[in-house]
Amino acid sequence: MTHLQELEAESIYVLREVAAQFERPAILFSGGKDSIVVTHLAHKAFYPARIPFPLVHIDTGHNFTETIDYRDALVEKLGARMIVGSVQDSIDTGRVREETGFNASRNRLQTTTLLDTIEKHRFDAAIGGARRDEEKARAKERFFSHRDEFGQWDPRNQRPELWDVYNGHKQPGEHFRVFPISNWTEMDVWQYILNERIEMPSIYFTHSRRVFFRDGQWLAAEPCMKLKPDETVEIREVRCRTIGDISCTGLTLSRAQSPEEIIEEIAASRVTERGSRTDDRRSETAMEERKIAGYF
Amino acid sequence: MEKGYLDMELLRFTTAGSVDDGKSTLIGRLLYDSKSIFEDQLEAVEAASRSRGGEEVNLALLTDGLRSEREQGITIDVAYRYFATPRRKFIIADTPGHIQYTRNMVTGASTADLAIILIDARNGVKEQTVRHSFIASMLGIGQVAVCVNKMDMADFSQRVFDDIVAAYKTLASKLGLHGVHFIPISAKLGDNVVERSANMPWYTGQTLIELLESAPIGKRLADAPVRMAVQSVIRPMSDRFHDYRGYAGRIASGVLKVGDPVTVYPGGRQSTVKAVNLGEADLQEAQAGESVAVQLTDDIDIGRGNLLACGIAPTVASELKLRICWFNERALTVGGKYIVRHTTCEVQGIVKSIDHRTDIETLHEEPAERLEMNDIAAVTLKTSAPLAFDPYKQNRTTGSVVFIDPSTLETVGAGIIL
Ligand SMILES: Nc1nc2c(ncn2[C@@H]2O[C@H](COP(=O)(O)OP(=O)(O)O)[C@@H](O)[C@H]2O)c(=O)[nH]1
């Protein structure tokens, strides 16, 4: 078997374990490449049956329109069920306060909307596309990651995972996050996208966009972004390396037009994809703190 | 585009080393010299090294995961790392080596094809080396790379190395360990890790990376009899696939072909493979490691926990001899009741006897009334329903069980079937 076949087989196995061990699982679909791959794997895992769980999208209200269009087309094609949790609703109902200032981001607010959505639909397992190679704090994450009643992750109290045995037993009120592509790297993801000819949102490929430069990176000049007086909008050839909320998605200057060219670009790249996300650059342990609070 | 990206192989290995043997430095070195470290990661590590008052970049910081651990300066859990060379992708299960983390080492070793065992050239074979080697042997790891580290602090001396090799060989034969390789290295300076050492011209064997790139992969057991535990039954019940019924599972061993006769355990009902599916594809056969959906010619009642098998039959029994490693603060006692998970099947289990406990630093076997966290022992287990299994030595998947505490629902122990 090649490494991609092996990774695929492992991920399909994990997705089937979720379907067998939980009553109300859901896929957290961000529109990013990782959750697209997870959805593709779920399609393969249960075919010819439909994916036996809904896709959940936490909409920050600051999404690239390409992401939303892609999401809707995919749901239609797979005949899947879609549930949207809205950060705007959480703001409107006073569950969270919008950040202010130039670096305001709705990324952190997502956690509350996510936990509320999980609670409302009584999901007992939320499947995500996180990978262990993304960030140091994720290196110890389990495939089946146990969360307490408050959705919190306790790094000291995780269940050991041996062989391919995953323990999804839980007390009432507790739930799990499950990461079927834990063992994949960014490179594996793009190789797989190429191999399987998975259609991707257009913003992953190089296009002309109105952008501005802040703190060492290019950001999209969309209406939700407030410019500082000394910042100017330019038109550049860019693409996204990871997709999140507009406010924290750094854009890469690139010429890559296809998965093949992206693979070449990653092979030559000298910064990690997380390096292009402002949310992780806030402090050395930013990701770990958000994880403990229940961020994905 | 460089060819090869799409058909690399995957090797999983584990590293065990006691505090200060240089394990974190070695992993940092592997990642660094194979160019798997990105600039932003390196900058973060440089900043962290400086803030801790070190003058040079501490490669070990690349692999220290969680903040609490960073503060204590030790690794406490299993952390997974990734790197690739043009030939292979590697998954490292990085585990702490101290005795109180035996369970973490067992966890990391459970999926490994190869184990790296670090020995400090100044200290030679110690209790901890025995412990790490015992675990590699118990978990059925087919390849062991003994890295004699800090050779720079032992004058790069061939005699020092040869003495350690001789001492280790005695241990390996006691443990029945096969496929042992010895490499003199300096993790700190990089000698014989990725770059060949100019300081040790007397060593002409493989560098560590050469060994990792060429070690045979997969205890994947393609030649063994077919075993596949059913995870779930796929029943679309749509118009187009009205009668479709696919048994979903990952093939643990063997090659399953369309037309093969299969037996379903427990029970022993027989049928024939009608089709093997992977997503929308129809396969003629599938091999160990693949996740597929299998259709049979007969409509028999099969569900999660059943085992599909061809060829030599598995053992079916409700009394098992196991070697277990205990994971939990709540001790295991004779008469203790647990949920026992074997492949995709769950039954109740009761511990009939603790046959002996093994001191994994001296390898002495001794009687025991109870098993504390990190203990390793042979036990006899009785299950509420018969299980279809193989000895662990023949099949890691059908030969292993996990203990779950029925009240806390935590995973509390792991067992291999003798
Ligand atoms: N001289 C020398 N020092 C080393 C070598 N490998 C590791 N060290 C040092 O040994 C100490 C412990 O190393 P570390 O990687 O943190 O050990 P760990 O506890 O096993 O992860 C550190 O000060 C390292 O710099 C080596 O090959 N030569």
mmCIF file of all heavy atoms in Angstrom, chain A residues 272-295:
data_model
loop_
_atom_site.group_PDB
_atom_site.id
_atom_site.type_symbol
_atom_site.label_atom_id
_atom_site.label_comp_id
_atom_site.label_asym_id
_atom_site.label_seq_id
_atom_site.Cartn_x
_atom_site.Cartn_y
_atom_site.Cartn_z
ATOM 1 N N THR A 272 5.123 27.154 7.845
ATOM 2 C CA THR A 272 3.981 26.260 8.006
ATOM 3 C C THR A 272 2.713 26.989 7.621
ATOM 4 O O THR A 272 2.662 28.216 7.599
ATOM 5 C CB THR A 272 3.820 25.808 9.462
ATOM 6 O OG1 THR A 272 3.582 26.968 10.259
ATOM 7 C CG2 THR A 272 5.048 25.094 9.960
ATOM 8 N N GLU A 273 1.642 26.213 7.354
ATOM 9 C CA GLU A 273 0.381 26.859 7.011
ATOM 10 C C GLU A 273 -0.176 27.624 8.208
ATOM 11 O O GLU A 273 -0.800 28.646 8.064
ATOM 12 C CB GLU A 273 -0.631 25.820 6.533
ATOM 13 C CG GLU A 273 -0.859 24.738 7.554
ATOM 14 C CD GLU A 273 -1.661 23.577 6.998
ATOM 15 O OE1 GLU A 273 -2.688 23.843 6.375
ATOM 16 O OE2 GLU A 273 -1.249 22.443 7.193
ATOM 17 N N ARG A 274 0.075 27.124 9.426
ATOM 18 C CA ARG A 274 -0.409 27.830 10.612
ATOM 19 C C ARG A 274 0.279 29.181 10.753
ATOM 20 O O ARG A 274 -0.256 30.095 11.350
ATOM 21 C CB ARG A 274 -0.191 26.998 11.865
ATOM 22 C CG ARG A 274 -1.182 25.876 11.992
ATOM 23 C CD ARG A 274 -2.291 26.244 12.959
ATOM 24 N NE ARG A 274 -3.522 25.599 12.569
ATOM 25 C CZ ARG A 274 -4.733 26.102 12.813
ATOM 26 N NH1 ARG A 274 -4.857 27.238 13.436
ATOM 27 N NH2 ARG A 274 -5.808 25.469 12.433
ATOM 28 N N GLY A 275 1.497 29.245 10.214
ATOM 29 C CA GLY A 275 2.224 30.506 10.234
ATOM 30 C C GLY A 275 1.475 31.596 9.499
ATOM 31 O O GLY A 275 1.719 32.777 9.695
ATOM 32 N N SER A 276 0.504 31.193 8.651
ATOM 33 C CA SER A 276 -0.259 32.205 7.935
ATOM 34 C C SER A 276 -1.577 32.501 8.637
ATOM 35 O O SER A 276 -2.464 33.093 8.077
ATOM 36 C CB SER A 276 -0.497 31.777 6.481
ATOM 37 O OG SER A 276 -1.301 30.626 6.421
ATOM 38 N N ARG A 277 -1.708 32.075 9.870
ATOM 39 C CA ARG A 277 -2.943 32.411 10.586
ATOM 40 C C ARG A 277 -2.636 33.330 11.754
ATOM 41 O O ARG A 277 -1.875 33.000 12.636
ATOM 42 C CB ARG A 277 -3.644 31.152 11.080
ATOM 43 C CG ARG A 277 -4.161 30.347 9.906
ATOM 44 C CD ARG A 277 -5.013 29.222 10.339
ATOM 45 N NE ARG A 277 -6.174 29.662 11.097
ATOM 46 C CZ ARG A 277 -7.334 29.028 11.042
ATOM 47 N NH1 ARG A 277 -7.505 27.981 10.280
ATOM 48 N NH2 ARG A 277 -8.340 29.443 11.769
ATOM 49 N N THR A 278 -3.286 34.485 11.738
ATOM 50 C CA THR A 278 -3.015 35.454 12.797
ATOM 51 C C THR A 278 -3.417 34.927 14.160
ATOM 52 O O THR A 278 -2.827 35.292 15.154
ATOM 53 C CB THR A 278 -3.781 36.772 12.558
ATOM 54 O OG1 THR A 278 -4.996 36.451 11.939
ATOM 55 C CG2 THR A 278 -2.971 37.701 11.728
ATOM 56 N N ASP A 279 -4.446 34.051 14.215
ATOM 57 C CA ASP A 279 -4.907 33.618 15.534
ATOM 58 C C ASP A 279 -3.841 32.848 16.299
ATOM 59 O O ASP A 279 -3.787 32.885 17.510
ATOM 60 C CB ASP A 279 -6.214 32.827 15.464
ATOM 61 C CG ASP A 279 -6.221 31.770 14.383
ATOM 62 O OD1 ASP A 279 -5.378 31.857 13.467
ATOM 63 O OD2 ASP A 279 -7.058 30.870 14.446
ATOM 64 N N ASP A 280 -2.968 32.120 15.594
ATOM 65 C CA ASP A 280 -1.933 31.364 16.284
ATOM 66 C C ASP A 280 -0.714 32.196 16.626
ATOM 67 O O ASP A 280 0.166 31.763 17.341
ATOM 68 C CB ASP A 280 -1.457 30.189 15.429
ATOM 69 C CG ASP A 280 -2.484 29.105 15.403
ATOM 70 O OD1 ASP A 280 -3.278 29.033 16.363
ATOM 71 O OD2 ASP A 280 -2.507 28.351 14.429
ATOM 72 N N ARG A 281 -0.652 33.390 16.026
ATOM 73 C CA ARG A 281 0.548 34.183 16.245
ATOM 74 C C ARG A 281 0.435 35.059 17.476
ATOM 75 O O ARG A 281 1.350 35.763 17.834
ATOM 76 C CB ARG A 281 0.842 35.022 14.998
ATOM 77 C CG ARG A 281 1.270 34.113 13.852
ATOM 78 C CD ARG A 281 1.083 34.717 12.485
ATOM 79 N NE ARG A 281 1.570 36.061 12.369
ATOM 80 C CZ ARG A 281 2.453 36.444 11.458
ATOM 81 N NH1 ARG A 281 2.975 35.569 10.647
ATOM 82 N NH2 ARG A 281 2.798 37.697 11.369
ATOM 83 N N ARG A 282 -0.733 35.009 18.123
ATOM 84 C CA ARG A 282 -0.925 35.893 19.266
ATOM 85 C C ARG A 282 0.036 35.567 20.410
ATOM 86 O O ARG A 282 0.547 36.453 21.051
ATOM 87 C CB ARG A 282 -2.367 35.840 19.748
ATOM 88 C CG ARG A 282 -3.303 36.535 18.770
ATOM 89 C CD ARG A 282 -4.709 36.603 19.306
ATOM 90 N NE ARG A 282 -5.569 37.377 18.406
ATOM 91 C CZ ARG A 282 -6.813 37.695 18.698
ATOM 92 N NH1 ARG A 282 -7.339 37.330 19.845
ATOM 93 N NH2 ARG A 282 -7.535 38.380 17.844
ATOM 94 N N SER A 283 0.248 34.296 20.724
ATOM 95 C CA SER A 283 1.252 33.952 21.733
ATOM 96 C C SER A 283 1.756 32.543 21.507
ATOM 97 O O SER A 283 1.174 31.774 20.755
ATOM 98 C CB SER A 283 0.682 34.073 23.146
ATOM 99 O OG SER A 283 0.112 32.848 23.555
ATOM 100 N N GLU A 284 2.821 32.190 22.205
ATOM 101 C CA GLU A 284 3.459 30.897 21.993
ATOM 102 C C GLU A 284 2.495 29.736 22.248
ATOM 103 O O GLU A 284 2.582 28.693 21.651
ATOM 104 C CB GLU A 284 4.696 30.769 22.906
ATOM 105 C CG GLU A 284 5.660 29.689 22.461
ATOM 106 C CD GLU A 284 6.662 29.304 23.548
ATOM 107 O OE1 GLU A 284 6.839 30.065 24.512
ATOM 108 O OE2 GLU A 284 7.258 28.237 23.413
ATOM 109 N N THR A 285 1.574 29.937 23.169
ATOM 110 C CA THR A 285 0.675 28.841 23.518
ATOM 111 C C THR A 285 -0.770 29.145 23.151
ATOM 112 O O THR A 285 -1.699 28.592 23.710
ATOM 113 C CB THR A 285 0.756 28.550 25.026
ATOM 114 O OG1 THR A 285 0.579 29.769 25.714
ATOM 115 C CG2 THR A 285 2.088 27.939 25.403
ATOM 116 N N ALA A 286 -0.958 30.038 22.150
ATOM 117 C CA ALA A 286 -2.307 30.476 21.797
ATOM 118 C C ALA A 286 -3.237 29.309 21.486
ATOM 119 O O ALA A 286 -4.356 29.226 21.997
ATOM 120 C CB ALA A 286 -2.232 31.420 20.596
ATOM 121 N N MET A 287 -2.748 28.381 20.673
ATOM 122 C CA MET A 287 -3.597 27.273 20.259
ATOM 123 C C MET A 287 -3.989 26.407 21.447
ATOM 124 O O MET A 287 -5.135 25.997 21.586
ATOM 125 C CB MET A 287 -2.841 26.436 19.223
ATOM 126 C CG MET A 287 -3.430 25.078 18.977
ATOM 127 S SD MET A 287 -4.894 25.164 17.966
ATOM 128 C CE MET A 287 -4.186 24.742 16.401
ATOM 129 N N GLU A 288 -3.022 26.145 22.315
ATOM 130 C CA GLU A 288 -3.302 25.283 23.450
ATOM 131 C C GLU A 288 -4.382 25.883 24.347
ATOM 132 O O GLU A 288 -5.297 25.192 24.793
ATOM 133 C CB GLU A 288 -2.007 25.088 24.243
ATOM 134 C CG GLU A 288 -2.116 24.038 25.318
ATOM 135 C CD GLU A 288 -0.767 23.839 26.013
ATOM 136 O OE1 GLU A 288 0.265 24.004 25.340
ATOM 137 O OE2 GLU A 288 -0.783 23.530 27.203
ATOM 138 N N GLU A 289 -4.312 27.203 24.555
ATOM 139 C CA GLU A 289 -5.319 27.849 25.394
ATOM 140 C C GLU A 289 -6.702 27.753 24.766
ATOM 141 O O GLU A 289 -7.686 27.477 25.440
ATOM 142 C CB GLU A 289 -4.939 29.320 25.633
ATOM 143 C CG GLU A 289 -3.869 29.448 26.707
ATOM 144 C CD GLU A 289 -3.045 30.722 26.587
ATOM 145 O OE1 GLU A 289 -3.428 31.625 25.812
ATOM 146 O OE2 GLU A 289 -2.004 30.787 27.266
ATOM 147 N N ARG A 290 -6.774 27.949 23.451
ATOM 148 C CA ARG A 290 -8.089 27.873 22.806
ATOM 149 C C ARG A 290 -8.626 26.456 22.826
ATOM 150 O O ARG A 290 -9.815 26.227 22.940
ATOM 151 C CB ARG A 290 -8.015 28.401 21.371
ATOM 152 C CG ARG A 290 -8.175 29.909 21.316
ATOM 153 C CD ARG A 290 -8.051 30.429 19.917
ATOM 154 N NE ARG A 290 -6.732 30.125 19.418
ATOM 155 C CZ ARG A 290 -6.498 29.687 18.198
ATOM 156 N NH1 ARG A 290 -7.469 29.528 17.354
ATOM 157 N NH2 ARG A 290 -5.271 29.420 17.829
ATOM 158 N N LYS A 291 -7.733 25.467 22.712
ATOM 159 C CA LYS A 291 -8.172 24.072 22.729
ATOM 160 C C LYS A 291 -8.773 23.703 24.068
ATOM 161 O O LYS A 291 -9.796 23.035 24.149
ATOM 162 C CB LYS A 291 -6.979 23.146 22.477
ATOM 163 C CG LYS A 291 -6.921 22.645 21.066
ATOM 164 C CD LYS A 291 -5.701 21.788 20.873
ATOM 165 C CE LYS A 291 -5.955 20.402 21.413
ATOM 166 N NZ LYS A 291 -6.819 19.615 20.562
ATOM 167 N N ILE A 292 -8.109 24.130 25.146
ATOM 168 C CA ILE A 292 -8.601 23.794 26.475
ATOM 169 C C ILE A 292 -9.994 24.386 26.664
ATOM 170 O O ILE A 292 -10.865 23.784 27.261
ATOM 171 C CB ILE A 292 -7.597 24.256 27.561
ATOM 172 C CG1 ILE A 292 -6.362 23.344 27.486
ATOM 173 C CG2 ILE A 292 -8.207 24.215 28.950
ATOM 174 C CD1 ILE A 292 -5.201 23.759 28.351
ATOM 175 N N ALA A 293 -10.225 25.569 26.092
ATOM 176 C CA ALA A 293 -11.531 26.208 26.226
ATOM 177 C C ALA A 293 -12.597 25.562 25.348
ATOM 178 O O ALA A 293 -13.770 25.870 25.475
ATOM 179 C CB ALA A 293 -11.409 27.692 25.879
ATOM 180 N N GLY A 294 -12.211 24.678 24.450
ATOM 181 C CA GLY A 294 -13.214 24.001 23.651
ATOM 182 C C GLY A 294 -13.167 24.332 22.170
ATOM 183 O O GLY A 294 -13.977 23.866 21.394
ATOM 184 N N TYR A 295 -12.223 25.142 21.785
ATOM 185 C CA TYR A 295 -11.999 25.399 20.359
ATOM 186 C C TYR A 295 -11.642 24.083 19.735
ATOM 187 O O TYR A 295 -11.145 23.193 20.393
ATOM 188 C CB TYR A 295 -10.841 26.394 20.208
ATOM 189 C CG TYR A 295 -10.418 26.708 18.783
ATOM 190 C CD1 TYR A 295 -11.119 27.631 18.027
ATOM 191 C CD2 TYR A 295 -9.304 26.090 18.225
ATOM 192 C CE1 TYR A 295 -10.714 27.933 16.742
ATOM 193 C CE2 TYR A 295 -8.898 26.382 16.937
ATOM 194 C CZ TYR A 295 -9.613 27.310 16.202
ATOM 195 O OH TYR A 295 -9.206 27.599 14.931
#
